[in-house]
Every structure is written in structure tokens, then in C-alpha cells.
Amino acid sequence: MQGSRLKLLMPAFSVIVVIALISPFIFSSPFWLDNSVLVAIFSLMALSMGMAYGQAGILSIAPAAFASIGAFATSVVTTRYGLSPLVGLVLALVLPMVLAYPMARAITRLSPLPLSIATLLLSLVLELAIREGGDFTGGYIGLSGIPTLWFAPNLFSMHVLGWLLVALVLVLYVNLTNSAVGRAVRTARHDPLRATADGVHVPSLLAVYFALSASVAGLAGWLYAHHLTYMGPDSLTMHVSIKIMLMAVIGGASTFLGPILGAAFLTLITLYLPAAETQGMIFGAVLILVLLVTPNGVLGTDWLAFFHGKKRKSDVARVQPAVGGGAA
């Protein structure tokens, strides 16, 4: 029993150990601390994608849209009404869930392509609503003067807070996945008829799981808004959602640490890539390479079996000509 509990904590513990080892080297560098916070934020969004797509099989192109809801919710209540960021946190967690649940009930019956298009339309509608929101959302100008968090007033404390939130979400995610609900979600994804026969109402279950993933994205949006202290209509767009999807797929959407690895990889290589137009080409090339070599992502691939299979194929290729030559 004790061993199983420790196993559930291992993904979060691994993240904490890595960050603890890295922190002394970036402690005095605002540049790297800022990028570390961004990696943590994108990791939360990628974990949201991992929950929706990797576990429930819902290919959503709206993680940035749900993050945007959380970000603008906390931005409005803190700048327009002077409320605490903790009130904004509650709204950032609840509002994406409230929107995601009925949406998921409507679209989870669809096949993957129409489903992803439906989530894409949500992103586009939300972007339009933010631009046309006038003074309430800041319109085309955006909202500035978003307060920093009083319990994380500097970059290093934001760095620590960001990764603590990632670790907390990991603990909850791992426990949920290994619970009866998580097992029911996997059954509903791969064999809906079997899940129905077991007494599971598949649309409701997948909708709840999708709503939880949206709440994680809302948490990322909350942290994003209070880190940058500005939210504009171009802050969290559909292009960010596509980037988040790449992060989850490259790292391994069905694994716990894969989305975090993908978020760190794509965020950090962006620092060394040229203009945005070229970045899209490079990201696309990386995605194609990963899908061809490791369809399940970097951490979703059994590399020992992969290389062992390659070795066996090469051995067969060397033996076959010799056998054919002998027969001739």
C-alpha cells in the first residue's frame, strides 16, 4: 500500500527534484526565471491537453481559450472591481468548467475531426468576444495594470509558485487517473459499449473529465495574467492552443510527464529560433518526425523495445540475402 502511494507521487516528486536542482543556477537571472515561469504555465496548459486528449480521447484545440477565460476573469475582477487575485483564482477555476461541461455534452458524441473543429470554433468565438468586449475586456487595447500576487511578489517566488502548482496538479491528475473514475474514462474512450454495459453514462463522464481539464487550463491563465500583468486579445489565441497541442503530442499526451517535457522543449527552443513564420515550419517538422518515429510521444515510447525491434529487423535483413543465395 505504501509503495503504491509513493508511486502515485513520483511524477510530482520528479518535477520538484529537477526544479530544485535548476533553481540555484537561475536564481540571479531574471531572463531564465521569467522563462521558467512561462514553461510552468505552458506545462499546466499541456497537462490540460493531456487530460482531455491523452486520457479521454477528446482532441480539443481550445486549451488556450479556457486559459483565456481564467486570465480575463481574474484580470477583470482585480482591475475593474479591486477584488483579490484569490477571488480571480476561484473564477478562473470555475468559469472554464461551467463552459466546458455543456459544450462537452454536446460534442463528445462526434467523431474526432468534427469534435476538434467544434473546439476550434470556440476559440475563434472567444477571441472575437474579447476584441469586441469594449471597456469590460479592454477591447483591442487589452487590460493593463493587473496586480502581481502579494504572496509571490518577485520572479523567483513566481518561479517557485508556478512549479508548485504544476506539482499539485500532477498529484491530483495521477490520483484521478488511477482512481475508479480514471479507469472508467479509459474504458469509455476505448470501448464505450463496455463502459455503458458497466453502468457508466459515457457522455456525462467524458464531459466531467473535459471540464476538469478546462479548469486546469483556467489555472494556467490565472497565473499567466498575474505574471505578465497585462492581457490583450492576442495573448492566448488559437495559435497558442495549437502550440499546446504540439507540446502534449511531442512529449507524450498519454503520460504524466510528457506534456511537461514537451512544454519545456518547445518553449526553450523558441528562444533560439528565428522569426515566428519560421518557427511554425520547424514545429511542424518536429511534429511529423515525432509522429513517424514515436507516435506515442517521447515519454510514451518503450525505447528498449523500439531499439530491440530495430536490431531484430536489421539482423533479419542481413540473413535473408544469404539464405536466398544459398537456395539459388
Side-chain angles (χ1 to χ4, degrees), residues 55-308:
Q55 300 299 326
I58 301 174
L59 182 56
S60 168
I61 312 181
F66 293 124
S68 183
I69 293 172
F72 273 95
T74 191
S75 300
V76 169
V77 299
T78 53
T79 59
R80 302 298 189 206
Y81 303 104
L83 299 178
S84 168
L86 296 180
V87 176
L89 174 60
V90 174
L91 293 175
L93 293 173
V94 173
L95 290 181
M97 292 180 65
V98 171
L99 176 62
Y101 180 80
M103 177 183 177
R105 285 299 303 268
I107 68 175
T108 49
R109 303 174 188 272
L110 302 175
S111 57
L113 182 57
L115 188 152
S116 61
I117 293 175
T119 60
L120 176 63
L121 290 176
L122 170 66
S123 297
L124 296 176
V125 169
L126 184 62
E127 287 180 30
L128 180 62
I130 291 172
R131 294 179 191 277
E132 302 299 330
D135 292 337
F136 187 71
T137 63
Y140 286 83
I141 299 175
L143 293 173
S144 58
I146 302 169
T148 57
L149 301 173
W150 52 268
F151 48 87
N154 54 54
L155 273 178
F156 184 76
S157 57
M158 283 294 289
H159 156 79
V160 173
L161 175 64
W163 287 108
L164 283 178
L165 289 176
V166 172
L168 176 61
V169 168
L170 266 177
V171 170
L172 297 176
Y173 179 23
V174 173
N175 279 274
L176 179 62
T177 303
N178 288 277
S179 68
V181 173
R183 291 190 292 271
V185 167
R186 289 195 296 273
T187 303
R189 174 186 179 179
H190 298 290
D191 193 349
L193 293 178
R194 168 65 185 275
T196 302
D198 291 339
V200 175
H201 191 266
V202 173
S204 295
L205 178 65
L206 294 182
V208 168
Y209 213 80
F210 185 65
L212 290 174
S213 74
S215 183
V216 174
L219 173 63
W222 174 81
L223 189 63
Y224 184 86
H226 290 289
H227 173 57
L228 295 184
T229 68
Y230 168 79
M231 282 299 298
D234 296 323
S235 297
L236 293 168
T237 62
M238 176 190 66
H239 301 288
V240 177
S241 288
I242 295 174
K243 188 176 179 179
I244 297 300
M245 182 179 66
L246 292 178
M247 292 174 179
V249 171
I250 289 173
S254 60
T255 66
F256 299 121
L257 294 177
I260 299 175
L261 177 65
F265 173 71
L266 285 188
T267 303
L268 295 178
I269 67 168
T270 302
L271 302 176
Y272 301 99
L273 293 178
E277 294 80 5
T278 309
Q279 290 178 15
M281 296 173 58
I282 295 175
F283 289 162
V286 171
L287 177 63
I288 292 172
L289 179 63
V290 169
L291 292 178
L292 289 176
V293 179
T294 59
N296 296 321
V298 174
L299 294 188
T301 300
D302 186 345
W303 290 101
L304 290 177
F306 177 82
F307 286 113
H308 184 64

Side-chain angles (χ1 to χ4, degrees), residues 31-71:
F31 174 79
W32 287 111
L33 286 174
D34 179 70
N35 280 286
S36 175
V37 177
L38 289 177
V39 172
I41 292 169
F42 287 130
S43 294
L44 290 171
M45 293 189 209
L47 285 171
S48 167
M49 174 65 75
M51 292 177 66
Y53 178 56
Q55 300 299 326
I58 301 174
L59 182 56
S60 168
I61 312 181
F66 293 124
S68 183
I69 293 172

Side-chain angles (χ1 to χ4, degrees), residues 11-26 159 163 257 260 264:
F13 181 73
S14 301
V15 169
I16 291 174
V17 168
V18 171
I19 297 305
L21 293 174
I22 292 175
S23 293
F25 297 98
I26 65 174
H159 156 79
W163 287 108
L257 294 177
I260 299 175

Side-chain angles (χ1 to χ4, degrees), residues 1-6:
M1 180 67 68
Q2 190 69 23
S4 62
R5 289 181 180 178
L6 290 175

